[in-house]
């Protein structure tokens, strides 16, 4: 089984900083599980085939990819972020912990959104795939073998599909795919400036697996088997000639439309630099927090491109909108915060003489002056009890962004051409005005007021989304911000919600990265797959899209998802099952993403892949990608962890999952009733062990608000960040500035070394006591570790905390609690995971043993055995 080397037990790898190999996964092109799988819904597309000449239209290949976040890249230095915002909008409920898995195959049930709406599953089409039969009827079609396509945007949990429904539909292991619609790839996809050819019956796109009649130009749909015309475009003298069409030679293509809809499209203009960014700042901060915030704000404006338009709003008991027309003083228009702003007040603000939005090249000095003029909160009122009208402030910010384009008299709001961004810098809860909650939880009507506030915030977030405005909420400090109330505002707009310890370095980094995170808009994801496959669950930053397209495509059964925003590293987790036993040798999957990029061009990205089918279970298990399967399982599990008690139930679900996998796929232990966990997926228990102990389900993170934010971030996160949040990556410093990658076990805590542990949202640097005693060596090691940590997380959003501490310190528990305890295992098991231990002397082994901070947690082997399962052989 081809598994990524870094996580395998006993494996080590030597790397140095400033190398591509420091990415959180090896080369995705080599690892991505082949083609994708999916089911049906209903799309919103143009007519199936455009009128074109008989001669194939020239295609344009750009040097880089048209990613949703970047459009056609023009060398902009704006960094690309590494994770999407907000929690998922839909997904089916997780089965109860008492009966977590079906023990026998059952008819797939409709998927339910977590918001209580129903996610439609595809009804079984009343036609077969027909690809085999039609191939026999097309003697002049392209018949040469086509290799299975691969795309870094699509990662399958296995490279093959089991043919037998009963074997394939074992929910404890499951089958699925991670789809990153806007992920950047190198080299970029081929870009085609014409309309795509689509199946008249089901709406699927022509692709490299389509059978082509070169004499007539007709092509056969791989999804429904229908024969379609190409208006003569695919007529060719030879098969080789058809390879000149990008969609017939590549699994991933981008169709771009700029003509009639966007006549003013200019690819060299990066509209990210002109889209407004409005800062909404909490003015109820104590002096210490304010000093850190001012420093971060000064650095933020210095990082913005000169053409970016910026607005500055402060909120407390009132809303202050700063005026950039005053160059020598900080001047602001003040609006009461106790209620939503009136139309008259907004008209006076927008049509007045002041300038609320100004490009940085003209207003940088004024912005610095405004930030320097901020003063700490003076009243003797506890942080949680201070009046903050955050909701009113965001309403005002939305009105400023709309500007004179908003028709207040009729309530009609026109959409701007590009995504705008509001960044809220909050130090406490919204306790005044619309969407507010009482200062104290002991208020007799608190539950009702909180429920009302949540609905109001979600409605405001949806309004922002309709206006192409993303709201990011960056919280910091020690005052609880009432996460359940504020989180829906960011989620519904397609933005991010991030908690920080203070307004210092990590906040500063996230402030800059939030503004640089470009986003496409009007995104729609369509999922189509062979008749044999059924989509059962979708998790990600989107919501169900009800689109009736039957007039154009009479049998379109695609599953449609409206994306809240389209960013580079967003990820959708899609679970699937077999509808019935599969008879064909391949199943096909097609993902189509429609969106408008930051250059206001309409893009249709089409990814078409196929997977071979197998009868043999061992052969299938050899093709399982442990890391992808672990992330899919984790996302399904985290959907049920709405509270601390739910998280405890989900840990039990993980235990039941491991037992069920061993029962269904494991081997019988001789002379025993026990079953051994399958060796082909021996890494999976390690990932699941990290999941149940780590911050997502365990007790490492203290406050439930923090755990809630982490879970919601994880459910939308890219594959790379999701994997790191499940299982940390461990890198040991070696002489010469190199790093050796080792399994994340407590055996890495050797007193003469330094270790970097990357856990996604946190990066820890642990310095052994013996190394710390040598001032020269320890300084060099810490410097190398910090450089590595910064390089590992350079493009990650949200930017993680980077904490450094010495062995034996109280903070070292942050590090130790995230490692798998192995010090209690027998020496032979320890050496199986860490061959380096065989070279240690008795004295060194004694030192290593004494360095452990002992917890009561079992080791991974003890955990597996407690489930009455024999650990897989490599463990």
């Amino acid at each position: 089984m081809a598994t990524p080397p870094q996580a395998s037990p006993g494996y080590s790898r030597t790397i140095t900083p400033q190398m591509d190999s420091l990415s959180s996964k090896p080369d995705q092109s080599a690892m991505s599980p082949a083609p994708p799988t999916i089911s049906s819904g209903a799309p919103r597309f143009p007519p199936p085939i455009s009128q074109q000449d008989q001669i194939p239209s020239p295609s344009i290949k750009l040097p880089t990819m048209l990613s949703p976040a970047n459009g056609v890249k023009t060398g902009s230095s704006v960094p690309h972020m590494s994770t999407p915002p907000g929690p998922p909008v839909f997904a089916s409920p997780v089965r109860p912990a008492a009966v977590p898995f079906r023990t026998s195959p059952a008819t797939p049930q409709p998927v339910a959104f977590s918001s209580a709406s129903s996610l439609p599953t595809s009804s079984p089409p009343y036609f077969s795939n027909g690809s085999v039969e039609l191939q026999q009827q097309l003697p002049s079609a392209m018949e040469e073998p086509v290799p299975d396509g691969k795309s870094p945007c699509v990662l399958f949990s296995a490279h093959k599909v089991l043919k037998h429904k009963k074997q394939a539909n074992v929910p404890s292991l499951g089958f699925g795919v991670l789809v990153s619609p806007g992920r950047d790839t190198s080299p970029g996809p081929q870009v085609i400036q014409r309309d795509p050819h689509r199946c008249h019956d089901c709406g699927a796109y022509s692709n490299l697996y389509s059978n082509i009649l070169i004499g007539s130009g007709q092509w056969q749909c791989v999804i429904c088997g229908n024969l379609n015309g190409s208006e003569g475009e695919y007529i060719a003298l030879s098969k080789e000639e058809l390879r000149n069409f990008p969609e017939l030679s590549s699994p991933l293509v981008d169709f771009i439309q700029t003509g009639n809809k966007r006549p003013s499209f200019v690819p060299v203009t990066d509209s990210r630099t002109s889209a407004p960014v409005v800062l909404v700042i909490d003015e109820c901060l104590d002096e210490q927090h304010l000093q850190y915030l001012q420093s971060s704000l000064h650095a933020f404006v210095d990082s913005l491109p000169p053409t970016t338009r910026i607005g500055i709003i402060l909120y407390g008991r009132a809303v202050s909108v700063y005026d950039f027309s005053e160059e020598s003083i900080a001047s602001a228009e003040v609006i009461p915060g106790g209620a939503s702003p009136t139309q008259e007040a907004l008209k006076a603000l927008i049509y007045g003489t002041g300038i609320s939005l100004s490009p940085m090249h003209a207003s940088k000095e004024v912005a610095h002056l405004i930030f320097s003029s901020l003063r700490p909160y003076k009243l003797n009122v506890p942080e949680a009890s201070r009046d903050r009208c955050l909701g009113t402030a965001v309403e005002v910010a939305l009105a400023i962004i709309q500007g004179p384009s908003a028709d207040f008299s009729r309530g009609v709001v026109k959409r701007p051409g590009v995504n705008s961004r509001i960044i809220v810098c909050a130090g406490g809860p919204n306790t005044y005005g619309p969407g507010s909650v009482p200062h104290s939880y002991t208020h007799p009507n608190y539950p009702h007021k909180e429920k009302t506030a949540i609905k109001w915030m979600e409605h405001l977030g949806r309004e922002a989304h309709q206006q192409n405005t993303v709201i990011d909420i960056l919280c910091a400090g020690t005052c609880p911000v009432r996460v359940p109330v504020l989180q829906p505002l960011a989620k519904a707009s397609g933005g991010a919600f991030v908690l920080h310890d203070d307004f210092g370095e990590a906040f500063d980094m996230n402030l800059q990265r939030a503004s640089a995170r470009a986003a496409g808009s009007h995104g729609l994801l369509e999922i189509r797959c062979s008749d044999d496959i059924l989509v059962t669950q979708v998790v990600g930053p989107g919501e169900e899209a009800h689109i009736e397209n039957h007039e154009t495509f009479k049998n379109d059964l695609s599953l449609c998802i409206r994306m809240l925003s389209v960013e580079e590293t967003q990820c959708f987790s899609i679970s699937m099952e077999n509808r019935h036993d599969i008879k064909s040798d391949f199943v096909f999957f097609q993902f189509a993403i429609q969106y408008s990029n930051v250059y206001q061009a309409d893009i249709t990205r089409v990814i078409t892949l196929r997977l071979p089918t197998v009868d043999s279970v061992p052969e299938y298990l050899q093709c399982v990608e442990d890391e992808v399967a672990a992330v899919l399982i984790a996302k399904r599990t985290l959907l049920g962890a709405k509270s601390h008690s739910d998280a405890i139930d989900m840990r039990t679900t993980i235990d039941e999952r491991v037992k069920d996998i061993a029962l269904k796929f494991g081997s019988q232990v001789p002379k025993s009733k026990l079953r051994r966990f399958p060796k082909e997926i021996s890494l999976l228990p390690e990932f699941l062990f990290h999941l149940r102990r780590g911050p997502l389900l365990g007790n490492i993170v203290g406050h439930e608000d923090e755990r809630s934010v982490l879970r919601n971030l994880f459910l939308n996160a890219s594959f790379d960040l999701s994997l790191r949040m499940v299982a940390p990556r461990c890198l040991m410093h070696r002489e010469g500035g190199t790093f050796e990658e080792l399994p994340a076990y407590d055996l890495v805590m050797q007193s003469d070394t330094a270790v970097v542990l990357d856990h996604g949202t946190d990066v820890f640097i642990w310095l052994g006591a013996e190394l710390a005693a040598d001032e020269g060596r320890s300084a060099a090691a810490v410097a190398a570790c910090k450089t590595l940590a910064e390089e590992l997380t350079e493009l990650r959003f949200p930017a993680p905390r980077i904490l450094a501490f010495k062995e034996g310190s109280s903070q070292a528990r942050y590090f130790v609690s995230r490692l798998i305890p192995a010090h209690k295992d027998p020496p032979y098991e320890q050496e199986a995971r860490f061959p380096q231990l065989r070279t240690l002397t008795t004295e060194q082994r004694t030192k290593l043993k004494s360095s452990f901070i002992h917890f009561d947690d079992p080791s991974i082997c003890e955990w597996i055995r407690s489930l009455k399962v024999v650990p897989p052989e490599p463990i």
Side-chain angles (χ1 to χ4, degrees), residues 72-205:
V72 186
K73 292 183 183 174
T74 58
S76 170
S77 61
V78 180
H80 304 150
M81 295 306 103
S82 170
T83 188
V89 177
F90 57 88
S92 66
V94 178
R95 296 180 178 89
V99 190
F101 311 113
R102 289 200 298 264
T103 56
S104 61
T107 303
Q109 300 299 314
V111 182
F113 283 128
S114 57
S115 59
S117 62
S118 298
L119 171 63
T121 53
S122 311
S123 303
Y126 297 102
F127 51 84
S128 65
N129 189 6
S131 56
V132 177
E133 294 80 3
L134 193 52
Q135 283 178 6
Q136 298 171 355
Q137 301 171 19
L138 302 178
S140 59
M142 296 172 58
E143 295 176 351
E144 61 185 42
V146 179
D148 296 334
K150 291 185 179 181
S151 170
C153 302
V154 176
L155 300 174
F156 281 92
S157 61
H159 296 158
K160 297 180 180 179
V161 177
L162 276 169
K163 288 187 174 182
H164 300 292
K165 176 181 176 180
K166 184 176 180 179
Q167 296 172 338
N169 294 354
V170 175
S172 54
L173 181 59
F175 174 76
V177 60
L178 298 172
V179 180
S180 301
R183 176 168 181 158
D184 203 348
T185 60
S186 181
Q190 299 205 47
V191 179
I192 307 168
Q193 284 192 309
R194 60 171 170 80
D195 289 334
H197 290 297
R198 303 188 61 185
C199 176
H200 298 283
D201 190 52
C202 71
Y205 295 75

Side-chain angles (χ1 to χ4, degrees), residues 561-579:
I561 301 165
R562 194 177 306 281
M563 303 171 66
L564 297 178
S565 63
V566 187
E567 300 185 19
E568 284 190 16
T569 53
Q570 287 176 335
C571 183
F572 287 89
S573 168
I574 304 168
S575 301
M576 289 166 281
E577 292 182 351
N578 288 21
R579 291 181 186 273

Side-chain angles (χ1 to χ4, degrees), residues 82-90 179-180 490-491 494-496 539-542 564 569-573 635 639 710-719 721-722 725:
S82 170
T83 188
V89 177
F90 57 88
V179 180
S180 301
K491 166 187 169 182
V539 181
L564 297 178
T569 53
Q570 287 176 335
C571 183
F572 287 89
S573 168
K635 287 180 183 279
L639 282 172
L710 285 176
R711 290 169 193 150
N712 287 322
L713 171 66
F714 173 79
L715 289 171
N716 288 350
S718 66
F719 167 69
L721 179 57
S722 297
M725 291 178 73

Side-chain angles (χ1 to χ4, degrees), residues 368-389:
H368 282 300
L369 180 64
I370 293 170
F371 297 146
S372 298
S373 71
L374 302 182
R375 295 293 179 264
Y377 190 81
K378 295 296 185 181
L379 301 179
N380 187 24
V381 178
E383 280 188 299
S385 300
R386 297 169 187 174
D387 289 337
R388 295 178 173 89
C389 58

Side-chain angles (χ1 to χ4, degrees), residues 588-626:
F588 296 89
F589 310 91
Q590 189 171 84
F591 306 88
I593 306 99
Q594 288 185 321
Y595 63 95
S596 297
N597 69 2
V598 296
Y599 302 99
Q600 305 181 47
D602 290 335
I603 307 295
T604 300
R605 167 165 298 172
V606 181
I607 307 169
T608 310
L609 302 170
R610 75 178 183 185
L611 290 179
T613 57
V614 293
D615 292 297
S616 167
V617 171
E619 184 180 354
Y620 171 76
L621 292 177
Q622 288 285 351
C623 297
V624 171
E625 283 287 341
D626 298 68

Side-chain angles (χ1 to χ4, degrees), residues 461-526:
R462 291 188 178 277
E463 282 189 359
H465 175 64
Q466 291 173 1
Q467 298 175 20
N468 285 358
T469 300
V470 174
I471 302 173
D472 293 324
I473 302 178
L474 307 183
C475 304
T478 56
C479 179
V481 294
R482 316 285 170 89
V483 170
V485 176
L486 295 184
Q487 196 158 241
L489 175 61
K491 166 187 169 182
S493 70
F497 187 94
V498 187
L499 294 178
H500 304 83
D501 293 334
D502 53 43
F503 290 96
E505 185 178 358
F507 180 91
D508 178 16
M509 193 64 65
N510 280 324
L511 191 59
Q512 297 182 35
R513 294 183 183 180
S515 67
R517 237 170 64 247
S521 59
H522 312 124
L524 184 72
L525 169 63
E526 292 182 322

